[in-house]
């Protein structure tokens, strides 16, 4: 034996031997016999063109687990692929005058060459790339199955618009009011968008978190908070005065508000409507002050985080409502930029003493602050609220029939009173919103829908799949090349045969990564997922990746597994794709920005 280890001789020798013997190739279910299975998977990389130490750290960890299981007699699946659609390739194509596909494929070749000397135990026979037609054709089939099942729909909505990417971002992709990739301040726009109905599974996604025993507690908490189940009450505030005939009919009986704290109703000092609440928009038609408020509010993104961190801004609409427990008590109605149109009815009541956001707003505009919750040990005669709201539990006071009750008891008593008066009812709401998946860019999976002036929106027939991206995109101008392509979008309607147009939006790249783990079971399958192989391999026994995906990829994948199951495409009774999760941490180094603000 040599006294000194010579990696240049030894490692190529054994890599060659492993490759020739197909040592790391997983056996299909039919050949596995009684050997236990182990599915080890790291979040697959974006083909940027080069590996970095973060990749090495991530994939080395998975390699240790896979090799250990292999040594213990397991049938091990440890695949590798490429999360290959996305804006970086599109930007590179613009800079180089090339097709994003060519740039991406070159990067994959380069990164595979960099992976080779690491000697990782990947089963390269199952390699897949999300930008190749054989993958996204199956994704289009999944989209259409979900459309048939009612899990996909299209509507006009307020969206987060990234002015640098020239595309829509999901709420989860807005960080501190900025695009998660570009760092540009996000704006609000009203657009027709495609959505996945993830909220249909909100209860299941929440309750099943308890079963994820091999997930980090931090991730479980993050998902619980993001789904955000809230029990409270829907409260109707009657109008204080007769309004003109032009006043919207739907609000003549009052304004409906959802609250999780009906125990603090006696602390109310204002109602606040979202900027795009129907009443706000109605007043904007005749008031320049309200119209100016809407223009200012549009500069903030639509995510809860962006709205929460923006300076509080509002305008008095001049409308007044009556307190549900005291008809002699009039409350002013404002429009406020911190109210989410998608939360409850897009209206809230402000109880400033018990909510910091309401308190900041009240102090700014000189609105009353009425304490109604007495902290434990505090004196009712001396307790005051200055610059910090009290949000904890306590005893209710200054609140008529609720006085002396605990906050928990007062919530139930207030709901009972509202129901007796016919002015409210117990209700549940969710923080989770449906997933907007439309992206106004070229390098993504084309959405397989057609718009016809006669028939409306029509699915592409299965025989006409895949809808492939064109070979000649034009990146000479900002915006989506598919929307201005001279021929690609023009097609006959599959229903009536008249001239129609393809959907020019492409899917959010998080869709691509929401089901790839199931495709790895058999990437050559003629169906989106080989149900027999997937039933054998899933769930993934050990998944490894960054905690930054806790409420993005991981939540979307949990939704997709349930949707695929309910569409008959996947046999996974629990709906949980990842039995064990490890978040590996990050390798970091100093980063710098140019004078133009680019990293």
């Amino acid at each position: 034996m040599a006294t000194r280890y010579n990696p240049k001789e030894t490692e190529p020798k054994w890599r060659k031997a492993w490759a020739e013997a197909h040592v790391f190739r997983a056996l299909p279910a039919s050949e596995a016999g009684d050997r236990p299975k182990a599915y080890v998977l790291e979040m697959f990389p974006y083909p940027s063109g080069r590996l970095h130490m973060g990749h090495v750290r991530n994939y080395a960890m998975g390699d240790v687990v896979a090799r250990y299981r292999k040594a213990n007699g397991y049938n091990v699946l440890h695949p590798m692929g490429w999360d290959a659609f996305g804006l970086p390739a599109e930007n590179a194509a613009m800079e180089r005058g090339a097709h994003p596909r060519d740039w991406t494929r070159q990067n994959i070749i380069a990164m595979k060459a960099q992976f080779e000397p690491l000697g990782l135990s990947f089963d390269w026979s199952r390699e897949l790339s999300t930008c190749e037609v054989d993958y996204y054709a199956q994704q289009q089939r999944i989209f259409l199955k979900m459309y048939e099942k009612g899990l996909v729909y299209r509507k006009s909505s307020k969206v987060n618009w990234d002015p640098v990417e020239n595309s829509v971002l999901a709420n989860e992709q807005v960080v501190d009011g900025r695009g998660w990739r570009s760092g540009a301040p996000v704006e609000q726009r009203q657009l027709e968008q495609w959505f996945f109905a993830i909220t249909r599974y909100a209860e299941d996604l929440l309750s099943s978190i308890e079963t994820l025993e091999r997930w980090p507690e931090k991730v479980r908490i993050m998902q619980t908070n993001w789904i955000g189940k809230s029990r409270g009450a829907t409260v109707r505030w009657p109008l204080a005065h007769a309004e003109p005939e032009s006043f919207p009919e739907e609000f003549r009986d009052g304004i409906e508000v959802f609250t999780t704290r009906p125990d603090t109703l006696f602390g109310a000092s204002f109602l606040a409507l979202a900027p795009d609440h129907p009443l706000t928009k109605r007043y904007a038609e005749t008031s320049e002050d309200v119209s100016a408020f809407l223009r200012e509010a549009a500069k903030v993104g639509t995510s809860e985080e962006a709205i929460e961190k923006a300076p509080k801004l509002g305008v008095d609409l001049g409308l007044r409502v009556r307190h549900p427990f005291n008809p002699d008590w009039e409350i002013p109605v404002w429009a406020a930029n911190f109210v989410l149109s998608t939360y409850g009815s897009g209206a809230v009541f402000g109880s400033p003493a018990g909510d910091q956001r309401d308190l900041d707003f009240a102090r700014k505009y000189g609105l009353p602050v009425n304490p109604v919750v007495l902290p434990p040990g505090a004196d009712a005669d001396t307790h005051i609220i200055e610059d910090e709201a009290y949000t904890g539990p306590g005893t209710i006071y200054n609140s008529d029939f609720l006085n002396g009750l605990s906050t928990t008891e007062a919530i139930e008593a207030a709901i009972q009173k509202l129901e007796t008066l016919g002015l409210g009812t117990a209700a549940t709401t969710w923080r989770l919103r449906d997933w907007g998946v439309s992206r106004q860019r070229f390098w993504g999976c084309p959405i397989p829908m057609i718009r016809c002036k006669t028939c409306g929106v029509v699915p592409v027939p299965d025989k006409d799949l895949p809808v492939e991206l064109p070979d000649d995109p034009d990146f000479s101008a900002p915006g989506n090349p598919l929307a201005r392509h001279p021929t690609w979008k023009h097609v006959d309607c599959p229903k009536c045969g008249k001239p129609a147009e393809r959907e020019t939006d492409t899917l959010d790249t998080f869709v691509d990564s929401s089901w790839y783990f199931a495709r790895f079971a058999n990437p050559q399958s003629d169906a989106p997922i080989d149900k027999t192989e997937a039933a054998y391999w899933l769930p993934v026994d050990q998944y490894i990746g960054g905690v930054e995906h806790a409420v993005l990829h991981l939540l979307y994948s949990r939704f997709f597994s349930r949707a695929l199951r309910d569409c008959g495409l996947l046999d996974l009774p629990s709906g949980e794709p990842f039995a064990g999760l490890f978040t590996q941490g990050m390798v970091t180094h100093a980063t710098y920005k140019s004078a133009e603000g680019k990293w």
Side-chain angles (χ1 to χ4, degrees), residues 441-558:
R441 53 181 175 236
F442 172 83
W443 193 232
C445 174
I447 295 175
M449 305 297 282
I450 293 169
R451 293 195 293 265
C452 173
K453 291 182 178 178
T454 302
C455 305
V457 179
V458 181
V460 174
D462 188 79
K463 66 180 179 63
D464 294 335
L465 295 178
V467 178
E468 296 190 41
L469 292 167
D471 292 327
D472 55 345
D474 175 13
F475 292 107
S476 62
N480 184 358
L482 292 177
R484 60 174 179 269
H485 194 281
T487 60
W488 181 85
K489 68 179 180 179
H490 299 293
V491 65
D492 291 337
C493 173
K495 270 191 176 181
C496 68
K498 295 178 182 178
E501 289 189 356
R502 295 191 186 282
E503 172 61 73
T504 58
D505 287 351
T506 53
L507 288 172
D508 181 3
T509 53
F510 275 100
V511 178
D512 310 338
S513 57
S514 291
W515 68 285
Y516 80 111
F517 49 85
R519 183 68 178 170
F520 269 138
N522 179 4
Q524 287 76 44
S525 173
D526 292 333
I529 297 167
D530 183 327
K531 291 175 67 175
T532 300
E533 288 295 311
Y536 170 72
W537 287 112
L538 291 176
V540 174
D541 296 287
Q542 185 62 65
Y543 198 37
I544 301 171
V547 73
E548 68 271 18
H549 293 298
V551 294
L552 285 163
H553 163 63
L554 291 170
L555 184 60
Y556 294 156
S557 296
R558 296 182 64 219

Side-chain angles (χ1 to χ4, degrees), residues 20-60:
E20 290 175 350
H22 305 299
V23 169
F24 304 125
R25 185 168 292 183
L27 296 175
S30 59
E31 299 176 21
D34 58 358
R35 297 172 65 182
K37 68 92 179 177
Y39 187 174
V40 181
L41 183 65
E42 304 91 348
M43 295 180 186
F44 61 171
Y46 178 77
S48 61
R50 60 182 179 180
L51 296 181
H52 52 68
M53 288 309 297
H55 288 115
V56 176
R57 176 184 174 90
N58 192 43
Y59 299 115

Side-chain angles (χ1 to χ4, degrees), residues 383-402:
H383 176 63
I384 59 172
I385 296 293
E386 294 181 344
D387 296 327
E388 184 175 343
Y390 177 70
T391 59
T395 303
I396 303 298
Y397 74 128
N398 294 334
S399 297
D400 194 29
F401 68 93
L402 297 177

Side-chain angles (χ1 to χ4, degrees), residues 412-423:
E412 298 304 321
I415 292 174
Q416 290 179 14
K417 184 73 168 181
L418 288 166
E419 290 178 338
T420 299
L421 296 170
L423 292 174

